[in-house]
Amino acid sequence: MFPLISHELIYPQGLYDLLMRIKRDYPNYKAIYITENGMGYKDDFKNGIIMDEPRIDYIRKYLTSVADAIEDGVNVKGYFLWSLMDVFSWSNGYNKRYGLFFVDFETQERYPKESAYWYKHLAETKTIL
């Protein structure tokens, strides 16, 4: 059975399994780049602060799966989040937020979310916490 969180399928083990399958089934592959991994979430913007722990947890779990695959011999050369800042989604419009930076669509001002600070720390330390 697949785990469900907020009625959305979140299964980081599936990414690990896919990476291992590519390594096994395509032994001559050169490198793997994971693009646009992330989650839409209804962020709460309160006094310029956006606490988005579910997004941090999501990214942490998927990066851990990628790190496990690398440890097991997969040549992953890049990992890219879905979006740097909030964007329009064809399936959700502006209903959910996707980026590390909250965009006030009326003023176009940007505000770093808690996940932006977390990801900055990750980039500086190369440690998944």
Side-chain angles (χ1 to χ4, degrees):
M1 197 72 190
F2 295 113
L4 293 176
I5 298 175
S6 301
H7 306 290
E8 293 184 42
L9 186 61
I10 296 176
Y11 188 61
Q13 180 67 36
L15 179 55
Y16 173 85
D17 294 344
L18 175 65
L19 293 170
M20 296 307 295
R21 181 176 177 191
I22 292 169
K23 179 180 180 278
R24 182 189 71 233
D25 292 354
Y26 304 94
N28 296 322
Y29 79 96
K30 300 296 182 206
I32 296 173
Y33 292 85
I34 298 161
T35 62
E36 296 188 13
N37 181 250
M39 69 174 286
Y41 185 70
K42 290 187 178 240
D43 295 327
D44 290 323
F45 180 74
K46 294 183 180 168
N47 300 320
I49 298 171
I50 303 95
M51 300 300 293
D52 60 339
E53 184 62 37
R55 181 173 291 106
I56 294 169
D57 188 52
Y58 177 96
I59 297 167
R60 180 185 298 118
K61 287 177 180 176
Y62 276 88
L63 281 176
T64 298
S65 289
V66 171
D68 290 346
I70 291 169
E71 189 173 307
D72 291 340
V74 178
N75 187 22
V76 177
K77 289 292 189 181
Y79 173 89
F80 301 90
L81 290 174
W82 191 330
S83 179
L84 175 66
M85 65 184 109
D86 292 333
V87 296
F88 178 82
S89 162
W90 288 108
S91 61
N92 293 311
Y94 294 115
N95 191 31
K96 291 184 179 180
R97 302 292 181 134
Y98 294 89
L100 298 178
F101 290 82
F102 184 92
V103 176
D104 181 329
F105 294 120
E106 289 184 26
T107 67
Q108 293 300 302
E109 288 190 57
R110 276 90 164 140
Y111 302 87
K113 300 176 186 178
E114 190 63 27
S115 58
Y117 297 114
W118 179 86
Y119 204 75
K120 177 181 186 274
H121 182 264
L122 169 78
E124 291 172 343
T125 64
K126 297 180 176 65
T127 304
I128 303 169
L129 297 177

mmCIF file of all heavy atoms in Angstrom, residues 66-110:
data_model
loop_
_atom_site.group_PDB
_atom_site.id
_atom_site.type_symbol
_atom_site.label_atom_id
_atom_site.label_comp_id
_atom_site.label_asym_id
_atom_site.label_seq_id
_atom_site.Cartn_x
_atom_site.Cartn_y
_atom_site.Cartn_z
ATOM 1 N N VAL A 66 17.486 10.070 -2.825
ATOM 2 C CA VAL A 66 18.515 10.319 -3.836
ATOM 3 C C VAL A 66 19.893 10.008 -3.252
ATOM 4 O O VAL A 66 20.714 9.351 -3.897
ATOM 5 C CB VAL A 66 18.442 11.773 -4.353
ATOM 6 C CG1 VAL A 66 19.639 12.097 -5.240
ATOM 7 C CG2 VAL A 66 17.146 12.008 -5.106
ATOM 8 N N ALA A 67 20.149 10.460 -2.029
ATOM 9 C CA ALA A 67 21.441 10.194 -1.379
ATOM 10 C C ALA A 67 21.672 8.696 -1.207
ATOM 11 O O ALA A 67 22.791 8.205 -1.416
ATOM 12 C CB ALA A 67 21.506 10.906 -0.031
ATOM 13 N N ASP A 68 20.623 7.964 -0.860
ATOM 14 C CA ASP A 68 20.740 6.504 -0.722
ATOM 15 C C ASP A 68 21.095 5.861 -2.062
ATOM 16 O O ASP A 68 21.927 4.952 -2.127
ATOM 17 C CB ASP A 68 19.441 5.901 -0.182
ATOM 18 C CG ASP A 68 19.176 6.263 1.274
ATOM 19 O OD1 ASP A 68 20.109 6.746 1.964
ATOM 20 O OD2 ASP A 68 18.021 6.077 1.706
ATOM 21 N N ALA A 69 20.464 6.342 -3.132
ATOM 22 C CA ALA A 69 20.752 5.798 -4.466
ATOM 23 C C ALA A 69 22.190 6.108 -4.877
ATOM 24 O O ALA A 69 22.879 5.248 -5.450
ATOM 25 C CB ALA A 69 19.761 6.350 -5.489
ATOM 26 N N ILE A 70 22.649 7.314 -4.585
ATOM 27 C CA ILE A 70 24.038 7.671 -4.896
ATOM 28 C C ILE A 70 24.987 6.758 -4.132
ATOM 29 O O ILE A 70 25.957 6.246 -4.687
ATOM 30 C CB ILE A 70 24.300 9.156 -4.573
ATOM 31 C CG1 ILE A 70 23.539 10.053 -5.555
ATOM 32 C CG2 ILE A 70 25.797 9.468 -4.605
ATOM 33 C CD1 ILE A 70 23.522 11.525 -5.164
ATOM 34 N N GLU A 71 24.685 6.546 -2.866
ATOM 35 C CA GLU A 71 25.511 5.653 -2.045
ATOM 36 C C GLU A 71 25.541 4.237 -2.621
ATOM 37 O O GLU A 71 26.543 3.533 -2.511
ATOM 38 C CB GLU A 71 24.980 5.636 -0.610
ATOM 39 C CG GLU A 71 25.878 4.915 0.362
ATOM 40 C CD GLU A 71 25.406 5.067 1.787
ATOM 41 O OE1 GLU A 71 25.203 6.215 2.227
ATOM 42 O OE2 GLU A 71 25.228 4.029 2.454
ATOM 43 N N ASP A 72 24.442 3.845 -3.267
ATOM 44 C CA ASP A 72 24.349 2.513 -3.860
ATOM 45 C C ASP A 72 24.806 2.484 -5.319
ATOM 46 O O ASP A 72 24.538 1.534 -6.052
ATOM 47 C CB ASP A 72 22.919 1.977 -3.734
ATOM 48 C CG ASP A 72 22.565 1.660 -2.282
ATOM 49 O OD1 ASP A 72 23.492 1.496 -1.454
ATOM 50 O OD2 ASP A 72 21.358 1.578 -1.967
ATOM 51 N N GLY A 73 25.494 3.546 -5.751
ATOM 52 C CA GLY A 73 26.167 3.519 -7.036
ATOM 53 C C GLY A 73 25.513 4.230 -8.199
ATOM 54 O O GLY A 73 26.013 4.164 -9.321
ATOM 55 N N VAL A 74 24.401 4.923 -7.986
ATOM 56 C CA VAL A 74 23.746 5.643 -9.076
ATOM 57 C C VAL A 74 24.454 6.978 -9.286
ATOM 58 O O VAL A 74 24.773 7.685 -8.331
ATOM 59 C CB VAL A 74 22.250 5.863 -8.772
ATOM 60 C CG1 VAL A 74 21.581 6.656 -9.885
ATOM 61 C CG2 VAL A 74 21.538 4.527 -8.574
ATOM 62 N N ASN A 75 24.694 7.332 -10.544
ATOM 63 C CA ASN A 75 25.397 8.560 -10.880
ATOM 64 C C ASN A 75 24.392 9.708 -11.056
ATOM 65 O O ASN A 75 24.037 10.078 -12.171
ATOM 66 C CB ASN A 75 26.226 8.372 -12.149
ATOM 67 C CG ASN A 75 27.093 9.568 -12.446
ATOM 68 O OD1 ASN A 75 27.401 10.357 -11.565
ATOM 69 N ND2 ASN A 75 27.485 9.705 -13.701
ATOM 70 N N VAL A 76 23.933 10.267 -9.942
ATOM 71 C CA VAL A 76 23.032 11.412 -9.975
ATOM 72 C C VAL A 76 23.894 12.663 -9.946
ATOM 73 O O VAL A 76 24.665 12.869 -9.018
ATOM 74 C CB VAL A 76 22.052 11.404 -8.780
ATOM 75 C CG1 VAL A 76 21.176 12.650 -8.806
ATOM 76 C CG2 VAL A 76 21.187 10.149 -8.795
ATOM 77 N N LYS A 77 23.775 13.483 -10.965
ATOM 78 C CA LYS A 77 24.600 14.689 -11.091
ATOM 79 C C LYS A 77 23.864 15.958 -10.701
ATOM 80 O O LYS A 77 24.492 16.997 -10.519
ATOM 81 C CB LYS A 77 25.113 14.839 -12.530
ATOM 82 C CG LYS A 77 26.153 13.826 -12.900
ATOM 83 C CD LYS A 77 27.410 14.082 -12.111
ATOM 84 C CE LYS A 77 28.542 13.228 -12.624
ATOM 85 N NZ LYS A 77 29.759 13.446 -11.872
ATOM 86 N N GLY A 78 22.535 15.896 -10.605
ATOM 87 C CA GLY A 78 21.806 17.102 -10.268
ATOM 88 C C GLY A 78 20.427 16.813 -9.721
ATOM 89 O O GLY A 78 19.803 15.809 -10.059
ATOM 90 N N TYR A 79 19.971 17.704 -8.854
ATOM 91 C CA TYR A 79 18.632 17.645 -8.277
ATOM 92 C C TYR A 79 18.091 19.071 -8.270
ATOM 93 O O TYR A 79 18.736 19.981 -7.752
ATOM 94 C CB TYR A 79 18.675 17.096 -6.850
ATOM 95 C CG TYR A 79 17.342 17.165 -6.138
ATOM 96 C CD1 TYR A 79 16.439 16.123 -6.228
ATOM 97 C CD2 TYR A 79 16.989 18.283 -5.392
ATOM 98 C CE1 TYR A 79 15.207 16.186 -5.588
ATOM 99 C CE2 TYR A 79 15.764 18.359 -4.744
ATOM 100 C CZ TYR A 79 14.882 17.311 -4.846
ATOM 101 O OH TYR A 79 13.668 17.381 -4.218
ATOM 102 N N PHE A 80 16.934 19.259 -8.871
ATOM 103 C CA PHE A 80 16.353 20.590 -8.978
ATOM 104 C C PHE A 80 14.948 20.585 -8.391
ATOM 105 O O PHE A 80 14.143 19.707 -8.690
ATOM 106 C CB PHE A 80 16.293 21.027 -10.444
ATOM 107 C CG PHE A 80 17.644 21.061 -11.087
ATOM 108 C CD1 PHE A 80 18.152 19.938 -11.735
ATOM 109 C CD2 PHE A 80 18.426 22.207 -11.029
ATOM 110 C CE1 PHE A 80 19.407 19.966 -12.316
ATOM 111 C CE2 PHE A 80 19.685 22.238 -11.607
ATOM 112 C CZ PHE A 80 20.176 21.113 -12.246
ATOM 113 N N LEU A 81 14.685 21.589 -7.578
ATOM 114 C CA LEU A 81 13.343 21.738 -7.027
ATOM 115 C C LEU A 81 12.378 22.167 -8.119
ATOM 116 O O LEU A 81 12.776 22.673 -9.161
ATOM 117 C CB LEU A 81 13.350 22.792 -5.917
ATOM 118 C CG LEU A 81 14.079 22.368 -4.654
ATOM 119 C CD1 LEU A 81 14.148 23.541 -3.691
ATOM 120 C CD2 LEU A 81 13.397 21.186 -4.009
ATOM 121 N N TRP A 82 11.100 21.998 -7.834
ATOM 122 C CA TRP A 82 10.055 22.303 -8.794
ATOM 123 C C TRP A 82 10.140 23.763 -9.233
ATOM 124 O O TRP A 82 10.111 24.090 -10.404
ATOM 125 C CB TRP A 82 8.712 22.037 -8.158
ATOM 126 C CG TRP A 82 7.541 22.052 -9.086
ATOM 127 C CD1 TRP A 82 7.374 22.765 -10.231
ATOM 128 C CD2 TRP A 82 6.362 21.301 -8.927
ATOM 129 N NE1 TRP A 82 6.159 22.522 -10.794
ATOM 130 C CE2 TRP A 82 5.512 21.613 -10.001
ATOM 131 C CE3 TRP A 82 5.909 20.414 -7.972
ATOM 132 C CZ2 TRP A 82 4.250 21.056 -10.135
ATOM 133 C CZ3 TRP A 82 4.663 19.858 -8.116
ATOM 134 C CH2 TRP A 82 3.861 20.178 -9.198
ATOM 135 N N SER A 83 10.256 24.665 -8.247
ATOM 136 C CA SER A 83 10.255 26.078 -8.600
ATOM 137 C C SER A 83 10.937 26.892 -7.505
ATOM 138 O O SER A 83 10.778 26.601 -6.322
ATOM 139 C CB SER A 83 8.810 26.564 -8.773
ATOM 140 O OG SER A 83 8.789 27.937 -9.096
ATOM 141 N N LEU A 84 11.673 27.904 -7.920
ATOM 142 C CA LEU A 84 12.302 28.811 -6.965
ATOM 143 C C LEU A 84 11.249 29.641 -6.241
ATOM 144 O O LEU A 84 11.322 29.854 -5.043
ATOM 145 C CB LEU A 84 13.288 29.733 -7.686
ATOM 146 C CG LEU A 84 13.927 30.819 -6.828
ATOM 147 C CD1 LEU A 84 14.831 30.200 -5.764
ATOM 148 C CD2 LEU A 84 14.693 31.801 -7.693
ATOM 149 N N MET A 85 10.248 30.118 -6.977
ATOM 150 C CA MET A 85 9.201 30.936 -6.364
ATOM 151 C C MET A 85 7.843 30.456 -6.839
ATOM 152 O O MET A 85 7.732 29.669 -7.766
ATOM 153 C CB MET A 85 9.416 32.405 -6.677
ATOM 154 C CG MET A 85 9.305 32.782 -8.123
ATOM 155 S SD MET A 85 9.703 34.500 -8.361
ATOM 156 C CE MET A 85 11.274 34.351 -9.175
ATOM 157 N N ASP A 86 6.823 30.924 -6.162
ATOM 158 C CA ASP A 86 5.466 30.492 -6.489
ATOM 159 C C ASP A 86 5.117 30.840 -7.927
ATOM 160 O O ASP A 86 5.466 31.917 -8.422
ATOM 161 C CB ASP A 86 4.470 31.142 -5.535
ATOM 162 C CG ASP A 86 4.623 30.614 -4.119
ATOM 163 O OD1 ASP A 86 5.076 29.468 -3.965
ATOM 164 O OD2 ASP A 86 4.276 31.339 -3.181
ATOM 165 N N VAL A 87 4.426 29.916 -8.572
ATOM 166 C CA VAL A 87 4.071 30.057 -9.980
ATOM 167 C C VAL A 87 2.640 29.600 -10.210
ATOM 168 O O VAL A 87 2.034 28.960 -9.357
ATOM 169 C CB VAL A 87 5.019 29.227 -10.881
ATOM 170 C CG1 VAL A 87 6.437 29.736 -10.797
ATOM 171 C CG2 VAL A 87 4.969 27.753 -10.517
ATOM 172 N N PHE A 88 2.132 29.895 -11.378
ATOM 173 C CA PHE A 88 0.827 29.397 -11.791
ATOM 174 C C PHE A 88 0.957 27.927 -12.165
ATOM 175 O O PHE A 88 1.903 27.528 -12.830
ATOM 176 C CB PHE A 88 0.326 30.201 -12.996
ATOM 177 C CG PHE A 88 -1.000 29.733 -13.520
ATOM 178 C CD1 PHE A 88 -2.173 30.150 -12.911
ATOM 179 C CD2 PHE A 88 -1.070 28.885 -14.602
ATOM 180 C CE1 PHE A 88 -3.396 29.725 -13.374
ATOM 181 C CE2 PHE A 88 -2.301 28.445 -15.088
ATOM 182 C CZ PHE A 88 -3.465 28.869 -14.469
ATOM 183 N N SER A 89 0.013 27.115 -11.728
ATOM 184 C CA SER A 89 -0.017 25.695 -12.076
ATOM 185 C C SER A 89 -1.242 25.434 -12.946
ATOM 186 O O SER A 89 -2.342 25.895 -12.629
ATOM 187 C CB SER A 89 -0.106 24.851 -10.800
ATOM 188 O OG SER A 89 -0.534 23.545 -11.083
ATOM 189 N N TRP A 90 -1.063 24.678 -14.016
ATOM 190 C CA TRP A 90 -2.186 24.371 -14.897
ATOM 191 C C TRP A 90 -3.259 23.578 -14.172
ATOM 192 O O TRP A 90 -4.436 23.714 -14.475
ATOM 193 C CB TRP A 90 -1.713 23.621 -16.140
ATOM 194 C CG TRP A 90 -0.971 24.517 -17.068
ATOM 195 C CD1 TRP A 90 0.371 24.512 -17.315
ATOM 196 C CD2 TRP A 90 -1.510 25.589 -17.844
ATOM 197 N NE1 TRP A 90 0.707 25.507 -18.198
ATOM 198 C CE2 TRP A 90 -0.436 26.191 -18.542
ATOM 199 C CE3 TRP A 90 -2.786 26.114 -18.026
ATOM 200 C CZ2 TRP A 90 -0.604 27.266 -19.399
ATOM 201 C CZ3 TRP A 90 -2.942 27.183 -18.889
ATOM 202 C CH2 TRP A 90 -1.873 27.742 -19.567
ATOM 203 N N SER A 91 -2.882 22.767 -13.198
ATOM 204 C CA SER A 91 -3.887 21.961 -12.496
ATOM 205 C C SER A 91 -4.471 22.662 -11.273
ATOM 206 O O SER A 91 -5.609 22.406 -10.906
ATOM 207 C CB SER A 91 -3.292 20.611 -12.078
ATOM 208 O OG SER A 91 -2.212 20.800 -11.196
ATOM 209 N N ASN A 92 -3.716 23.564 -10.632
ATOM 210 C CA ASN A 92 -4.183 24.204 -9.406
ATOM 211 C C ASN A 92 -4.307 25.716 -9.490
ATOM 212 O O ASN A 92 -4.681 26.352 -8.511
ATOM 213 C CB ASN A 92 -3.226 23.882 -8.242
ATOM 214 C CG ASN A 92 -3.247 22.431 -7.879
ATOM 215 O OD1 ASN A 92 -4.307 21.848 -7.702
ATOM 216 N ND2 ASN A 92 -2.082 21.826 -7.770
ATOM 217 N N GLY A 93 -3.952 26.304 -10.605
ATOM 218 C CA GLY A 93 -3.970 27.762 -10.694
ATOM 219 C C GLY A 93 -3.029 28.353 -9.659
ATOM 220 O O GLY A 93 -1.879 27.942 -9.546
ATOM 221 N N TYR A 94 -3.532 29.300 -8.884
ATOM 222 C CA TYR A 94 -2.759 29.882 -7.784
ATOM 223 C C TYR A 94 -3.244 29.348 -6.438
ATOM 224 O O TYR A 94 -2.923 29.905 -5.388
ATOM 225 C CB TYR A 94 -2.854 31.406 -7.809
ATOM 226 C CG TYR A 94 -2.197 32.037 -9.015
ATOM 227 C CD1 TYR A 94 -2.934 32.722 -9.959
ATOM 228 C CD2 TYR A 94 -0.822 31.934 -9.194
ATOM 229 C CE1 TYR A 94 -2.328 33.303 -11.062
ATOM 230 C CE2 TYR A 94 -0.201 32.499 -10.288
ATOM 231 C CZ TYR A 94 -0.958 33.187 -11.217
ATOM 232 O OH TYR A 94 -0.345 33.753 -12.307
ATOM 233 N N ASN A 95 -4.019 28.285 -6.461
ATOM 234 C CA ASN A 95 -4.599 27.710 -5.246
ATOM 235 C C ASN A 95 -3.534 27.158 -4.301
ATOM 236 O O ASN A 95 -3.636 27.307 -3.090
ATOM 237 C CB ASN A 95 -5.595 26.616 -5.625
ATOM 238 C CG ASN A 95 -6.415 26.158 -4.451
ATOM 239 O OD1 ASN A 95 -6.705 26.927 -3.543
ATOM 240 N ND2 ASN A 95 -6.804 24.903 -4.477
ATOM 241 N N LYS A 96 -2.510 26.520 -4.850
ATOM 242 C CA LYS A 96 -1.413 25.983 -4.052
ATOM 243 C C LYS A 96 -0.137 26.708 -4.434
ATOM 244 O O LYS A 96 -0.011 27.234 -5.525
ATOM 245 C CB LYS A 96 -1.245 24.484 -4.290
ATOM 246 C CG LYS A 96 -2.372 23.654 -3.743
ATOM 247 C CD LYS A 96 -2.088 22.188 -3.922
ATOM 248 C CE LYS A 96 -3.217 21.355 -3.351
ATOM 249 N NZ LYS A 96 -2.934 19.927 -3.516
ATOM 250 N N ARG A 97 0.809 26.699 -3.508
ATOM 251 C CA ARG A 97 2.098 27.343 -3.721
ATOM 252 C C ARG A 97 3.155 26.267 -3.931
ATOM 253 O O ARG A 97 3.055 25.184 -3.389
ATOM 254 C CB ARG A 97 2.462 28.222 -2.515
ATOM 255 C CG ARG A 97 1.432 29.311 -2.200
ATOM 256 C CD ARG A 97 1.422 30.334 -3.302
ATOM 257 N NE ARG A 97 0.477 31.416 -3.048
ATOM 258 C CZ ARG A 97 0.758 32.679 -3.204
ATOM 259 N NH1 ARG A 97 1.949 33.073 -3.609
ATOM 260 N NH2 ARG A 97 -0.154 33.606 -3.001
ATOM 261 N N TYR A 98 4.172 26.594 -4.716
ATOM 262 C CA TYR A 98 5.163 25.587 -5.094
ATOM 263 C C TYR A 98 6.600 25.950 -4.768
ATOM 264 O O TYR A 98 7.440 25.085 -4.657
ATOM 265 C CB TYR A 98 5.061 25.295 -6.598
ATOM 266 C CG TYR A 98 3.761 24.639 -6.963
ATOM 267 C CD1 TYR A 98 2.647 25.401 -7.292
ATOM 268 C CD2 TYR A 98 3.638 23.257 -6.952
ATOM 269 C CE1 TYR A 98 1.453 24.801 -7.611
ATOM 270 C CE2 TYR A 98 2.431 22.657 -7.267
ATOM 271 C CZ TYR A 98 1.343 23.435 -7.600
ATOM 272 O OH TYR A 98 0.167 22.845 -7.902
ATOM 273 N N GLY A 99 6.921 27.198 -4.652
ATOM 274 C CA GLY A 99 8.318 27.598 -4.569
ATOM 275 C C GLY A 99 8.857 27.761 -3.163
ATOM 276 O O GLY A 99 8.149 27.629 -2.163
ATOM 277 N N LEU A 100 10.141 28.091 -3.107
ATOM 278 C CA LEU A 100 10.805 28.389 -1.844
ATOM 279 C C LEU A 100 10.552 29.840 -1.424
ATOM 280 O O LEU A 100 10.789 30.202 -0.283
ATOM 281 C CB LEU A 100 12.316 28.165 -1.965
ATOM 282 C CG LEU A 100 12.766 26.736 -2.280
ATOM 283 C CD1 LEU A 100 14.283 26.687 -2.411
ATOM 284 C CD2 LEU A 100 12.279 25.762 -1.229
ATOM 285 N N PHE A 101 10.071 30.654 -2.372
ATOM 286 C CA PHE A 101 9.780 32.049 -2.088
ATOM 287 C C PHE A 101 8.310 32.326 -2.363
ATOM 288 O O PHE A 101 7.810 32.022 -3.442
ATOM 289 C CB PHE A 101 10.662 32.979 -2.928
ATOM 290 C CG PHE A 101 12.091 32.959 -2.499
ATOM 291 C CD1 PHE A 101 12.940 31.953 -2.926
ATOM 292 C CD2 PHE A 101 12.582 33.925 -1.642
ATOM 293 C CE1 PHE A 101 14.253 31.906 -2.510
ATOM 294 C CE2 PHE A 101 13.904 33.892 -1.217
ATOM 295 C CZ PHE A 101 14.740 32.880 -1.652
ATOM 296 N N PHE A 102 7.635 32.898 -1.387
ATOM 297 C CA PHE A 102 6.246 33.285 -1.514
ATOM 298 C C PHE A 102 6.164 34.542 -2.366
ATOM 299 O O PHE A 102 6.918 35.495 -2.151
ATOM 300 C CB PHE A 102 5.666 33.560 -0.118
ATOM 301 C CG PHE A 102 4.210 33.886 -0.105
ATOM 302 C CD1 PHE A 102 3.267 32.891 0.069
ATOM 303 C CD2 PHE A 102 3.769 35.194 -0.254
ATOM 304 C CE1 PHE A 102 1.918 33.188 0.098
ATOM 305 C CE2 PHE A 102 2.428 35.503 -0.237
ATOM 306 C CZ PHE A 102 1.497 34.494 -0.057
ATOM 307 N N VAL A 103 5.262 34.549 -3.325
ATOM 308 C CA VAL A 103 5.062 35.719 -4.172
ATOM 309 C C VAL A 103 3.702 36.332 -3.834
ATOM 310 O O VAL A 103 2.680 35.660 -3.899
ATOM 311 C CB VAL A 103 5.107 35.350 -5.672
ATOM 312 C CG1 VAL A 103 4.802 36.574 -6.528
ATOM 313 C CG2 VAL A 103 6.447 34.753 -6.035
ATOM 314 N N ASP A 104 3.731 37.597 -3.466
ATOM 315 C CA ASP A 104 2.489 38.349 -3.308
ATOM 316 C C ASP A 104 2.096 38.771 -4.720
ATOM 317 O O ASP A 104 2.716 39.661 -5.310
ATOM 318 C CB ASP A 104 2.713 39.559 -2.405
ATOM 319 C CG ASP A 104 1.439 40.363 -2.186
ATOM 320 O OD1 ASP A 104 0.571 40.401 -3.099
ATOM 321 O OD2 ASP A 104 1.317 40.957 -1.104
ATOM 322 N N PHE A 105 1.092 38.135 -5.273
ATOM 323 C CA PHE A 105 0.759 38.350 -6.681
ATOM 324 C C PHE A 105 0.215 39.754 -6.950
ATOM 325 O O PHE A 105 0.256 40.224 -8.079
ATOM 326 C CB PHE A 105 -0.203 37.282 -7.176
ATOM 327 C CG PHE A 105 0.418 35.904 -7.196
ATOM 328 C CD1 PHE A 105 -0.118 34.877 -6.442
ATOM 329 C CD2 PHE A 105 1.547 35.645 -7.951
ATOM 330 C CE1 PHE A 105 0.452 33.620 -6.450
ATOM 331 C CE2 PHE A 105 2.127 34.393 -7.967
ATOM 332 C CZ PHE A 105 1.580 33.377 -7.207
ATOM 333 N N GLU A 106 -0.273 40.445 -5.920
ATOM 334 C CA GLU A 106 -0.754 41.817 -6.118
ATOM 335 C C GLU A 106 0.396 42.819 -6.181
ATOM 336 O O GLU A 106 0.401 43.724 -7.006
ATOM 337 C CB GLU A 106 -1.733 42.192 -5.008
ATOM 338 C CG GLU A 106 -3.060 41.466 -5.119
ATOM 339 C CD GLU A 106 -4.045 41.920 -4.061
ATOM 340 O OE1 GLU A 106 -3.938 43.064 -3.583
ATOM 341 O OE2 GLU A 106 -4.931 41.112 -3.722
ATOM 342 N N THR A 107 1.387 42.657 -5.298
ATOM 343 C CA THR A 107 2.505 43.615 -5.237
ATOM 344 C C THR A 107 3.761 43.113 -5.931
ATOM 345 O O THR A 107 4.687 43.876 -6.152
ATOM 346 C CB THR A 107 2.864 43.930 -3.776
ATOM 347 O OG1 THR A 107 3.400 42.744 -3.170
ATOM 348 C CG2 THR A 107 1.654 44.421 -3.005
ATOM 349 N N GLN A 108 3.804 41.814 -6.229
ATOM 350 C CA GLN A 108 4.968 41.145 -6.818
ATOM 351 C C GLN A 108 6.165 41.069 -5.857
ATOM 352 O O GLN A 108 7.270 40.736 -6.271
ATOM 353 C CB GLN A 108 5.382 41.785 -8.144
ATOM 354 C CG GLN A 108 4.356 41.587 -9.244
ATOM 355 C CD GLN A 108 4.111 40.116 -9.533
ATOM 356 O OE1 GLN A 108 5.029 39.383 -9.865
ATOM 357 N NE2 GLN A 108 2.873 39.674 -9.379
ATOM 358 N N GLU A 109 5.943 41.355 -4.572
ATOM 359 C CA GLU A 109 7.013 41.198 -3.589
ATOM 360 C C GLU A 109 7.224 39.722 -3.302
ATOM 361 O O GLU A 109 6.298 38.926 -3.369
ATOM 362 C CB GLU A 109 6.668 41.937 -2.293
ATOM 363 C CG GLU A 109 6.752 43.437 -2.440
ATOM 364 C CD GLU A 109 6.652 44.132 -1.101
ATOM 365 O OE1 GLU A 109 7.489 43.827 -0.226
ATOM 366 O OE2 GLU A 109 5.738 44.956 -0.948
ATOM 367 N N ARG A 110 8.485 39.371 -2.999
ATOM 368 C CA ARG A 110 8.838 37.990 -2.699
ATOM 369 C C ARG A 110 9.301 37.887 -1.250
ATOM 370 O O ARG A 110 9.997 38.776 -0.752
ATOM 371 C CB ARG A 110 9.985 37.506 -3.591
ATOM 372 C CG ARG A 110 9.520 37.014 -4.952
ATOM 373 C CD ARG A 110 9.501 38.143 -5.928
ATOM 374 N NE ARG A 110 9.417 37.612 -7.294
ATOM 375 C CZ ARG A 110 8.693 38.155 -8.220
ATOM 376 N NH1 ARG A 110 7.970 39.209 -7.974
ATOM 377 N NH2 ARG A 110 8.676 37.657 -9.431
#
